[in-house]
Amino acid sequence: MSATAQMVLPAGTRQRPIGRRKKKFSTLSILRFVGLAVWLLITLFPLYWIALTSFKAPATVNVYPIEYWPSQPSMQNYANLFETSSFGVFLANSAIVALIAGVTSTFIALLSAFVIARFEFRSKGAVLIAFLLTQMIPAFIALGPLYSMMADLGLVDNKFGLILVYVAICIPFSTVMLRGFFENVPVALEEAAMIDGCSRLGALFRVLVPVMTPGIIAAFIFNFVNCWNELFLSVVLMHSEENRTVPAALNGFISTFNVDWGSMSAAAVVTILPTMVLFALASKWIVQGLTAGAVKE
């Protein structure tokens, strides 16, 4: 048989032209690329506009025709932000509250997820359902009862009180998230550690926690970002200037008859930067953490 012999096809079958298939695949690729490019443009344009407004001089923020690139870039909005307001204090408050609440809620969720994943007890399913149901209830629905309870405890306008509320809000989601990671780790690892003399908690912190580091980091970052960006509870529970957080400070740039777009845009850029840096530095851990519990072998 010669090398140029064609493969015999079964009767009634037709061989598709190779060129047409390549053309179809190329067309789909172009359409997919154009769609993703349009979606990326729609997503990034608000961020670009905020950054653009922050670098405009205060007198040119509302000029017409609209400038899509500042003709005279200025840092005056950033200077006004820290000179005429206590924005540095707001940043410090948000960092303290989000960091403590993120670490505390992640640690508690780690313990609760370990118990739910490794032990069988009555009403275990009800606990998980309750955790999931709490994520379906908007936070502002409970503002009235929550404020009354915090006022009775003397924790209104108190960073510790706001941290407690944030911890309570973050624990259910983090517990469900970390439970999936625990179930993906073989039980044989902690059993081997316990045979070697570790207690159950020792096996958790010496063996399981190092294995689950990506998942723990991912849970902490989500908790930190949620606490950093939260607005309603911060506005309701924090009244004084020295305890206000960044989202509440951004809301303060809106008055009855005017909106300080320049200062608000500068504040938004400064607020977004920490979370962007955090995600950029920990992107590898986040991807590993999000995919670690996706498939159970």
Side-chain angles (χ1 to χ4, degrees), residues 83-99:
E83 291 176 359
T84 62
S85 67
S86 303
F87 197 75
V89 176
F90 304 149
L91 284 174
N93 292 338
S94 288
I96 293 172
V97 170
L99 185 62

Side-chain angles (χ1 to χ4, degrees), residues 20-32:
R20 184 179 300 175
R21 181 180 300 175
K22 288 184 177 180
K23 183 178 180 181
K24 182 179 179 181
F25 178 78
S26 178
T27 303
L28 290 177
S29 300
I30 293 174
L31 291 176
R32 187 181 297 111

Side-chain angles (χ1 to χ4, degrees), residues 44-203:
L44 294 181
F45 183 77
L47 297 177
Y48 165 76
W49 192 254
I50 290 173
L52 174 68
T53 305
S54 69
F55 287 106
K56 289 182 178 180
T60 62
V61 170
N62 297 318
V63 296
Y64 187 85
I66 299 175
E67 293 182 349
Y68 293 93
W69 186 260
S71 57
Q72 297 179 351
S74 173
M75 297 293 293
Q76 188 61 40
N77 291 318
Y78 292 92
N80 294 338
L81 183 65
F82 290 96
E83 291 176 359
T84 62
S85 67
S86 303
F87 197 75
V89 176
F90 304 149
L91 284 174
N93 292 338
S94 288
I96 293 172
V97 170
L99 185 62
I100 296 177
V103 171
T104 305
S105 58
T106 303
F107 178 76
I108 297 175
L110 178 70
L111 299 179
S112 59
F114 175 71
V115 172
I116 293 175
R118 290 295 191 255
F119 296 94
E120 294 294 333
F121 53 90
R122 188 175 300 178
S123 70
K124 174 180 176 179
V127 171
L128 289 174
I129 293 175
F131 281 170
L132 294 175
L133 288 177
T134 58
Q135 305 304 306
M136 303 178 187
I137 302 175
F140 63 85
I141 292 179
L143 285 181
L146 180 62
Y147 183 84
S148 299
M149 181 180 68
M150 299 299 287
D152 293 337
L153 295 174
L155 295 177
V156 174
D157 198 21
N158 188 309
K159 294 187 187 70
F160 179 72
L162 188 62
I163 290 172
L164 285 180
V165 175
Y166 284 168
V167 168
I169 292 175
C170 293
I171 285 177
F173 174 78
S174 301
T175 300
V176 176
M177 183 178 179
L178 291 174
R179 172 179 172 265
F181 301 140
F182 272 115
E183 292 185 344
N184 197 51
V185 177
V187 182
L189 288 178
E190 58 189 284
E191 290 179 347
M194 294 174 66
I195 291 175
D196 290 339
C198 284
S199 62
R200 190 171 291 274
L201 285 178

Side-chain angles (χ1 to χ4, degrees), residues 1-8:
M1 182 180 294
S2 63
T4 60
Q6 295 181 352
M7 183 178 61
V8 178

